[in-house]
Amino acid sequence: MNKIKIPVYIILISSVLFSLSTLSFSFDISLLAFPLSIIYAAIVFYFLYLKALSKKEFKAALVSRKLLQYICFVFFLTFILRRAGKYETFYWLDVVSVFLWCVTFVVSLIILHYFKDKRLYSLEESWKNFKKPAGKIIAVSKEKRKSFFREIVDWIDALFQAIFMVLLIQIFVFQLYVIPSESMVPYFLIGDRVVVFKIFSGPKFPLSEVGLLDFKKYKRGDVVVFRNPHYSLDRKSEIKTVLSQIIYMLTFTGVNLNVDENGEIKADPLVKRICGEPGEQLVMQDGILYARTKENNAFIPVEYDSKVAAWNLNPLVESRAKKKQIQYIPLTQSQYDQMILTEDMKNNLDIEKTIEECKLIAEKIKKSNINLVEFQDYFNSVFHFNGKPFSSVENFVHFMTDWINTKNESLQKISNDIYSLSNYKLNLLIKLNVGKTVLQFIKLKNSPLEKDFSSDSVIEECSKNIELLYNYLRILDSRNMPVFPPNNQDGSAQYIPENCYFMMGDNRFNSLDMRHSYDFKLKSLSEFDDFSASYFSNMAPQTVNQKYILGTTCFRFMPVNRIGVLK
């Protein structure tokens, strides 16, 4: 027994000290941590020291072995309980608790090494009597066969040890992750199972900032799993998340309490690709991601992003043997072609020519003195406008021409902002086609000849353009992104901070990622136009701090036909 005396003394001292570190004086769940840990420490002391070490009782050694197998798990749970209370613990206390837990864990492994069947009988001379000739321990009760009940208990024991060991491995080493959506198509498909390597990403003890150092250097293109910043990551939410994960595992994935306020399972964590690095400012227009830095002030297309961004899935699906692998195609080939046509129409817009056309339309409608209310329902079902342009002829004239008065100043402010300039032109395209449609209706109404409005070539062309513009507004926030981080008030650039990254899904039309929020609000296409067209936007770009990155995907193990190391 002399071999284990020092380890026994160390584990008893560390157990008591750890228990003292879980003391809480708040009347909440944290109050349970100390009684649970100190009672367990006392039981270990009784069987390991008083019975096994001092009185040389073999049965006590067997009980001690079982207690030591669970001590790190019990203390791990009490560590979480202590920090699940209303008030945060001090950082130094977290450090002390983690240190004592690690000491207890390591020393328990050392003692368990000596308590294995092939070594246990040699620790004490009298214990050799319990050794079978084949080298197995004889049960103290001398039973030749374990009871059915004993078998069940052993299975449950092994199962719970496995659960807690998996929990520790998932927190600190690696985690198996099932891809829940198609946001990363074609890189990942729904149901793909991947290994997320975490040990170099600085995993922490739950509800604390103490853990392994973060050695990972992330770069553009890394596919990472991270906490979803769209949800609150405050203390209360983190407590709920950690406890729900433990319950989820203890109930064998039967109970998942990690839900939002509506009772829906949270999309947390997320898997996305790093598209923006510290020190960069980004903008995305017409599906092209641009970046600039302090060293290079010009926005330059990010070549790598064009290789991974999936805008048109139709050729991909057609080339796959199993088309069912991709369940949702955001845009059909026809819709994709129409999107490209709309972007070409917008980019080729001649602003000076548009000024003349808008003035002419305004003058003619002003002379007509027509009641425009009849157009209100039709156009409001397609677009949202500021300033109520159809409430009167006067307002409609303002709608068509007011932007002209501020044109030079507006274009000067957005001359280096391709996103704002593009939306500015998009707004003019909408005005122009609305104005042409109204004017043509007036002409046909005043014509002495009866004419079918639906067969009129001008109205047909404008209607087609209006449909294209309407459809483009619906995907505007997926196809484009404003300058991010936004410039300062004086126009100077801001850049992604140190240790922060910008993530997007590869399947850009089907990825609610760091470009977007979960809330929509009405947003004007042009801030310089009081009668601007508006659309429902959920654009709210944000970065993710490195401390919320859980790990990097490194290996896909399911499905079988796609197994392999992820590059």
Side-chain angles (χ1 to χ4, degrees), residues 247-499:
I247 293 172
Y248 184 69
M249 293 199 66
L250 290 177
T251 58
F252 309 108
T253 70
V255 178
N256 191 344
L257 301 179
N258 192 25
V259 297
D260 58 22
E261 59 274 9
N262 299 319
E264 299 291 332
I265 301 297
K266 287 184 176 180
D268 184 30
L270 296 173
V271 56
K272 306 292 178 188
R273 190 183 298 276
I274 292 179
C275 298
E277 300 177 295
E280 291 183 333
Q281 188 181 46
L282 309 171
V283 65
M284 187 162 67
Q285 187 56 51
D286 297 347
I288 301 174
L289 182 67
Y290 299 82
R292 68 175 176 180
T293 62
K294 291 180 181 179
E295 292 73 28
N296 188 351
N297 193 44
F299 278 110
I300 298 174
V302 178
E303 184 179 350
Y304 179 83
D305 193 74
S306 64
K307 298 176 181 178
V308 296
W311 295 107
N312 184 12
L313 299 184
N314 293 282
L316 178 69
V317 172
E318 291 172 3
S319 65
R320 286 191 178 276
K322 297 181 179 179
K323 296 183 179 181
K324 292 182 180 179
Q325 287 183 310
I326 299 177
Q327 300 175 6
Y328 174 66
I329 307 297
L331 297 182
T332 65
Q333 186 62 50
S334 174
Q335 290 171 329
Y336 182 83
D337 294 339
Q338 289 175 357
M339 177 194 72
I340 299 299
L341 178 63
T342 307
E343 289 177 346
D344 289 341
M345 188 166 58
K346 169 197 53 134
N347 295 334
N348 295 327
L349 181 73
D350 186 328
I351 295 181
E352 295 302 323
K353 184 179 178 181
T354 302
I355 291 175
E356 298 304 317
E357 289 183 281
C358 285
K359 285 182 177 180
L360 182 62
I361 292 170
E363 283 298 320
K364 290 183 177 180
I365 289 180
K366 192 174 182 180
K367 293 176 182 178
S368 70
N369 200 27
I370 191 174
N371 183 5
L372 295 170
V373 176
E374 59 182 291
F375 298 101
Q376 185 168 300
D377 291 340
Y378 170 71
F379 285 111
N380 283 351
S381 67
V382 182
F383 302 115
H384 297 271
F385 294 109
N386 302 333
K388 298 181 179 180
F390 300 101
S391 59
S392 66
V393 169
E394 182 182 4
N395 267 6
F396 195 81
V397 170
H398 285 302
F399 166 74
M400 294 301 303
T401 59
D402 274 10
W403 65 273
I404 298 172
N405 301 326
T406 60
K407 186 261 299 182
N408 291 335
E409 180 185 354
S410 304
L411 292 179
Q412 184 177 2
K413 288 182 179 179
I414 61 177
S415 58
N416 296 320
D417 184 348
I418 57 175
Y419 175 84
S420 296
L421 181 59
S422 177
N423 283 359
Y424 184 88
K425 288 185 174 182
L426 196 60
N427 181 51
L428 297 187
L429 261 180
I430 293 172
K431 285 179 183 289
L432 192 58
N433 282 279
V434 169
K436 286 181 177 179
T437 303
V438 172
L439 184 60
Q440 189 65 10
F441 266 110
I442 294 172
K443 284 182 180 179
L444 294 177
K445 274 194 171 187
N446 294 334
S447 174
L449 301 174
E450 290 187 8
K451 191 166 185 180
D452 183 6
F453 291 169
S454 61
S455 64
D456 182 79
S457 60
V458 175
I459 291 179
E460 185 179 357
E461 181 184 358
C462 290
S463 297
K464 179 182 175 182
N465 290 342
I466 286 172
E467 183 180 0
L468 290 174
L469 292 166
Y470 165 74
N471 289 330
Y472 193 77
L473 285 182
R474 294 174 62 190
I475 61 171
L476 185 64
D477 280 1
S478 297
R479 183 68 168 164
N480 311 288
M481 183 182 73
V483 172
F484 176 76
N487 293 329
N488 295 310
Q489 290 290 338
D490 61 1
S492 58
Q494 292 192 81
Y495 302 94
I496 296 175
E498 281 297 316
N499 299 318

